[in-house]
């Protein structure tokens, strides 16, 4: 039985498949909690995230302030939850941007033989740079702002999407149902969308979860280096960057956002790994 | 057998629907080497006839089928389809032309998009026939499904819910949806269980009679070809070795390659005087085909002269053509 025929079945069983893998379940649970906290931030934050209180500045974790307070007396728990909204939003938007660019590049490179050499060279050239260096260069060129950070990271991760999309497109292009559509005289743009794109969802999803994880990390890295989003916008990255000055006296200011980053990145990685195993037809045969 | 005879009598001397002359298809392998997939193939297919194309794996059968439909561009040759020079059509003209020719694929699993319902798969074909969305299109979909032995409630299902045989029927329905004059059936049953093969072959025979289809029926299995076809074309390494009526080629193959194929065919037929020709070795690479007759390296009757010239496909009378130095006029083996 051809691998392609299993993709519908595979997707139906994705959730069931994930639930059979303990690491994936752990990842899923943590991710759901983090996302829920971000969505219901205003209901769960114990204090307004911007509320200053000079009297209670740099206090360690206590019952009053579970994660302690920062140099302005703001509640670190509330700020970590609030910052999560932005960090996750940045990560999610980066996934969308990189998917848009990457899918387009990969689809064209994979489907049109003439376009493949130049596009593949472009993709390889972009992948040759270390992610964070390329991101810094792009942000420097575009100017530091939240939108430009998203754009820069979207561009940085687009080649990863492009590469898997190209590889899948090269396979799908040769399948009989694409040839059948050509034999019917279906216009090429319709073939690309109806027959190729629709069968690319799985590899893009896998890459998407890895990119999500990387983007959260990279955004924090850029913020830490001072080339990320403006320090006034609370993200996990900016919190760590600001907290660094008080590392010795009040480490909790950066620990907790750091833990939030680690948890979300790890859960996304675990999920991505499980998805990749599940959707890989060679592996799913044996499970 | 009686049917085959009746067909021969019915045969009208009108112009054939399809005439292919000197078809050549080369692929380019890495390192600039040329794959001689199809070399100088002539084909003539009369209206309402089924011509079988038979040969070992790698002999270029699929490539012939795909070039006729211009799913891949021919390297050389001409094809006249109902008087039109198809290879000369522009890409835009070709898109309009496509609905006159269709293809049925070997692999029923990769031939249907797993994301589309059967209705959507048929709709795509009906679209090219100008069926607008709506009642008429739905009715026509059901009609087509019933024509191939499926039913209306199959329409909303996805391909993975069907067996190989059912999928092949859906593929046939899709091809018929555009009401083509000509169908290339590329090994339509070789991926199916033997028990299902006969059902699908019967369906195709039935459809051919009811719809008057013209077909190029590709198979590596001579027993399937013999059952389904009026005429047989035997191909080897990109070239036609022999051509004749299904009956003649089956009962008295003239070319040593056809003889070997028939000897290897699994159908027990006590009435047939078997010409046992062992066919050793593998088909040579089409990147470096043998000089002269391409079959000579495996031919039990090869002569030194076979390496010199490519034997032309010669008319030996009674509609039979053979490309062998040893077969002279009247089909007499020299
Ligand atoms: N796209 C391609 N690129 C390069 N070589 C090709 C291509 N398609 C076919 N060939 C080669 O052309 C030759 C004929 O292939 P073809 O698929 O037409 O044979 P076939 O008779 O249909 O065989 P089978 O019974 O295996 O389907 C083979 O050697 C094959 O490797
Ligand atoms: Mg083939």
């Amino acid at each position: 039985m051809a691998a392609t025929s299993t993709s519908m079945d595979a997707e139906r069983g994705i959730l069931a498949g994930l639930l059979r893998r303990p690491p994936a379940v752990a990842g899923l649970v943590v991710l759901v909690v983090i996302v829920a906290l971000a969505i219901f931030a205003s209901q769960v934050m114990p204090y307004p995230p911007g509320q200053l209180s000079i009297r209670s500045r740099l206090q360690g974790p206590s019952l009053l302030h579970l994660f302690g307070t920062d140099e302005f007396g703001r509640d670190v728990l509330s700020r970590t939850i609030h910052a999560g909204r932005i960090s996750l939003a940045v990560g999610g938007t980066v996934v969308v941007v990189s998917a848009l660019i990457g899918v387009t590049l990969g689809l064209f490179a994979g489907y049109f033989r003439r376009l493949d050499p130049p596009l593949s060279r472009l993709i390889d050239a972009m992948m040759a740079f270390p992610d964070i260096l390329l991101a810094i260069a792009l942000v420097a060129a575009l100017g530091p702002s939240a939108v430009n950070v998203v754009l820069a990271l979207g561009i940085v991760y687009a080649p990863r999407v492009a590469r898997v999309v190209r590889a899948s497109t090269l396979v799908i292009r040769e399948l009989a149902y694409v040839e059948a559509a050509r034999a019917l005289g279906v216009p090429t743009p319709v073939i690309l969308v109806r027959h190729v794109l629709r069968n690319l969802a799985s590899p893009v999803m896998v890459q998407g979860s890895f990119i999500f994880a990387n983007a959260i990390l990279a955004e924090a890295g850029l913020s830490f280096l001072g080339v990320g989003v403006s320090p006034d916008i609370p993200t996990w990255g900016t919190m760590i960057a600001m907290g660094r000055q008080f590392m010795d006296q009040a480490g909790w200011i950066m620990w907790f956002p750091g833990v939030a980053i680690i948890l979300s990145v790890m859960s996304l990685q675990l999920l991505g790994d499980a998805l990749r195993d599940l959707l890989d037809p060679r592996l799913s045969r044996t499970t | 057998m009686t049917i085959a005879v009746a067909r021969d009598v019915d045969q009208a001397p009108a112009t054939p629907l399809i005439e292919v002359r000197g078809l050549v298809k080369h692929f380019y392998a890495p390192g600039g080497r040329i794959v001689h997939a199809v070399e100088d193939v002539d084909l003539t297919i009369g209206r309402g006839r089924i011509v079988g194309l038979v040969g070992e794996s790698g002999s270029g059968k699929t490539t012939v089928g795909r070039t006729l439909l211009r799913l891949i561009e021919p390297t050389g040759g001409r094809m006249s389809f109902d008087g039109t020079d198809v290879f000369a059509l522009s890409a835009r003209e070709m898109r309009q032309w496509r609905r006159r020719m269709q293809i049925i694929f070997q692999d029923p699993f990769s031939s249907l998009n797993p994301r589309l319902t059967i209705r959507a798969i048929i709709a795509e074909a009906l679209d090219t026939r100008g069926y607008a969305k709506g009642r008429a299109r739905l009715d026509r979909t059901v009609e087509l499904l019933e024509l191939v032995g499926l039913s209306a409630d199959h329409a909303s299902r996805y391909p993975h819910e069907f067996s190989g045989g059912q999928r092949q029927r859906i593929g046939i329905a899709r091809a018929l949806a555009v009401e083509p004059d000509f169908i290339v059936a590329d090994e339509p049953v070789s991926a199916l269980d033997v028990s299902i093969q006969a059902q699908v072959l019967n369906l195709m025979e039935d459809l051919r009679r009811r719809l008057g289809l013209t077909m190029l029926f590709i198979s590596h299995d001579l027993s399937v070809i013999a059952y389904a076809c009026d005429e047989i074309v035997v191909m080897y390494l990109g070239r036609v070795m022999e051509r004749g009526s299904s009956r003649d080629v089956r009962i008295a193959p003239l070319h040593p390659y056809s003889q070997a194929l028939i000897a290897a065919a699994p159908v027990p037929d006590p009435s047939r005087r078997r010409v046992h020709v062992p066919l050793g070795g593998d088909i040579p690479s089409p990147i470096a085909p043998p000089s002269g007759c391409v079959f000579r390296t495996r031919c039990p009757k090869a002569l030194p002269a076979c390496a010199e010239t490519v034997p032309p496909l010669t008319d030996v009378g009674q509609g039979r053509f053979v490309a062998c130095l040893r077969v002279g006029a009247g089909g007499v083996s020299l």
Side-chain angles (χ1 to χ4, degrees):
Chain A
M1 193 178 291
T4 48
S5 68
T6 62
S7 71
M8 278 300 292
D9 309 290
E11 239 146 81
R12 260 181 215 160
I14 277 186
L15 199 61
L18 286 179
L19 294 179
R20 261 185 278 115
R21 288 155 201 260
V25 172
L28 207 58
V29 167
V30 173
L31 201 65
V32 165
V33 169
I34 291 173
V35 170
L37 283 175
I39 291 174
F40 300 109
S42 36
Q43 282 92 323
V44 293
M45 283 187 300
Y47 300 90
Q51 184 179 299
L52 306 174
S53 166
I54 299 302
R55 245 178 305 136
S56 52
R57 62 195 293 268
L58 298 177
Q59 284 181 1
S62 66
L63 280 180
L64 220 55
H65 297 284
L66 285 177
F67 286 10
T69 62
D70 69 2
E71 70 271 30
F72 300 113
R74 295 175 299 194
D75 181 53
V76 173
L77 172 59
S78 302
R79 284 180 65 74
T80 305
I81 294 173
H82 183 63
R85 297 184 97 149
I86 295 161
S87 288
L88 292 181
V90 167
T93 327
V94 168
V95 171
V96 172
V97 171
S98 59
L100 282 178
I101 302 174
V103 166
T104 312
L105 276 178
L107 203 56
F108 278 71
Y111 196 81
F112 301 105
R113 279 168 210 275
R114 293 259 172 79
L115 293 178
D116 190 21
L119 290 180
S120 286
R121 209 156 306 149
L122 177 72
I123 293 166
D124 290 344
M126 287 172 73
M127 303 243 336
F129 290 101
D131 292 351
I132 204 81
L133 280 187
L134 186 56
I136 291 172
L138 285 170
V139 174
L142 296 166
S145 76
V147 171
N148 287 346
V149 167
V150 166
L151 212 60
L153 290 177
I155 293 171
V156 166
Y157 295 124
R160 301 188 186 192
V161 179
R163 224 174 44 166
V164 296
V165 167
R166 173 181 173 272
S168 302
T169 304
L170 284 174
V171 174
I172 295 171
R173 179 181 75 182
E174 303 298 331
L175 292 179
Y177 61 78
V178 171
E179 188 145 280
R182 292 206 295 124
L184 289 169
V186 176
T188 308
V190 179
I191 293 181
L192 281 177
V193 174
R194 191 183 287 160
H195 296 292
V196 184
L197 204 53
R198 279 178 90 145
N199 286 288
L200 285 171
S202 315
V204 172
M205 237 161 63
V206 173
Q207 277 305 308
S209 59
F210 291 135
I211 289 173
F212 203 143
N214 279 294
I216 290 173
L217 211 53
E219 182 273 319
L222 290 178
S223 298
F224 189 78
L225 295 169
V227 287
V229 302
S230 137
D232 327 328
I233 303 175
T235 68
W236 291 330
T238 54
M239 285 179 73
I240 293 176
M242 302 297 281
R244 190 174 39 151
Q245 313 160 41
F246 304 95
M247 202 160 75
D248 301 330
Q249 344 154 23
W252 54 86
I253 304 180
M254 55 188 292
W255 293 343
F256 289 107
V259 169
I261 291 176
I262 291 169
L263 284 178
S264 40
V265 168
M266 274 184 56
S267 61
L268 281 164
Q269 290 277 0
L270 289 176
L271 218 57
D273 279 337
L275 274 179
R276 186 172 50 192
D277 292 354
L278 273 175
L279 297 175
D280 188 329
R282 280 163 305 171
L283 295 173
S284 68
R285 293 283 89 197
T286 58
T287 49
Chain B
M1 200 59 74
T2 43
I3 299 165
V5 172
R7 267 182 222 154
D8 289 342
V9 175
D10 283 350
Q11 187 191 357
T15 56
L17 181 67
I18 287 172
E19 284 215 76
V20 179
R21 290 291 167 266
L23 180 65
V24 176
K25 177 64 193 180
H26 293 166
F27 293 105
Y28 295 91
R33 290 171 310 167
I34 295 173
V35 181
H36 300 262
V38 175
E39 283 291 352
D40 195 19
V41 164
D42 293 352
L43 272 178
T44 303
I45 309 180
R47 279 164 216 277
R49 316 254 311 159
I50 300 192
V51 171
L53 192 54
V54 69
E56 275 167 291
S57 184
S59 52
K61 309 178 296 292
T62 297
T63 307
V64 168
R66 295 174 76 207
T67 32
L68 293 193
L69 267 62
R70 277 185 68 183
L71 291 168
I72 47 178
E73 290 299 321
T75 308
R78 278 182 303 110
M79 166 175 171
S80 142
F81 183 109
D82 203 7
T84 301
D85 184 356
V86 175
F87 291 171
L89 295 178
S90 71
R92 243 184 64 222
E93 292 166 321
M94 195 57 212
R95 183 156 293 156
Q96 291 307 306
W97 193 262
R98 289 208 178 280
R99 69 172 68 123
R100 300 198 59 180
M101 316 189 269
Q102 278 302 301
I103 181 162
I104 298 167
F105 297 92
Q106 170 172 9
D107 178 6
F109 291 96
S110 69
S111 63
L112 306 176
N113 184 341
R115 307 256 154 202
L116 299 183
T117 59
I118 306 313
R119 181 184 298 117
I121 289 169
I122 305 284
E124 181 165 68
L126 289 174
D127 256 351
T128 67
R129 261 283 162 185
Y131 276 89
K133 236 189 175 96
R135 194 72 237 162
R137 194 161 85 177
L138 278 179
D139 289 346
R140 181 73 182 134
T141 304
V142 172
E143 212 174 284
L144 285 161
L145 287 178
E146 282 168 358
L147 189 65
V148 298
L150 297 169
S151 70
D153 45 290
H154 286 127
S156 53
R157 301 207 199 151
Y158 285 90
H160 76 270
E161 300 174 53
F162 295 92
S163 69
Q166 286 175 316
R167 282 161 166 254
Q168 208 54 307
R169 289 170 189 268
I170 295 162
I172 294 171
R174 169 177 60 195
L176 294 177
V178 299
E179 294 159 44
D181 303 316
F182 174 55
I183 291 184
V184 172
D186 188 0
E187 313 225 18
V189 298
S190 50
L192 306 178
D193 288 345
V194 179
S195 55
I196 310 293
Q197 287 192 359
Q199 290 177 17
V200 174
L201 284 174
N202 283 332
L203 169 68
M204 292 181 64
E205 172 63 26
D206 179 46
L207 290 173
R208 184 188 81 101
R209 247 179 299 171
R210 281 160 67 184
L211 307 174
L213 293 171
T214 305
M215 256 193 242
L216 180 67
F217 191 107
I218 296 172
S219 180
H220 61 265
D221 184 343
L222 217 115
S223 55
V224 167
I225 287 269
Y227 170 89
C229 303
D230 305 304
E231 230 173 278
I232 295 181
V233 175
V234 180
M235 250 184 111
Y236 181 81
L237 209 60
R239 291 183 183 271
V240 174
M241 300 286 108
E242 175 164 7
R243 185 171 111 200
S245 81
S246 173
R247 209 165 172 263
D248 290 349
V249 175
R250 240 175 335 125
I251 291 174
L254 294 176
H255 196 285
Y257 180 60
S258 322
Q259 292 170 356
L261 272 186
I262 301 226
V267 169
D269 183 354
S271 71
R272 192 171 69 204
R273 192 162 40 85
R274 270 182 186 256
V275 199
H276 264 290
V277 186
L279 194 54
D282 283 328
I283 189 164
S285 162
I287 290 177
S291 66
C293 174
V294 285
F295 184 57
R296 71 177 163 83
T297 52
R298 294 166 78 196
C299 182
K301 299 176 184 167
L303 304 168
C306 294
E308 307 293 322
T309 47
V310 179
L313 195 61
T314 314
D315 190 344
V316 295
Q318 294 166 328
R320 295 192 78 181
F321 295 78
V322 182
C324 180
L325 281 183
R326 301 189 56 143
V327 180
V332 185
S333 205
L334 304 175

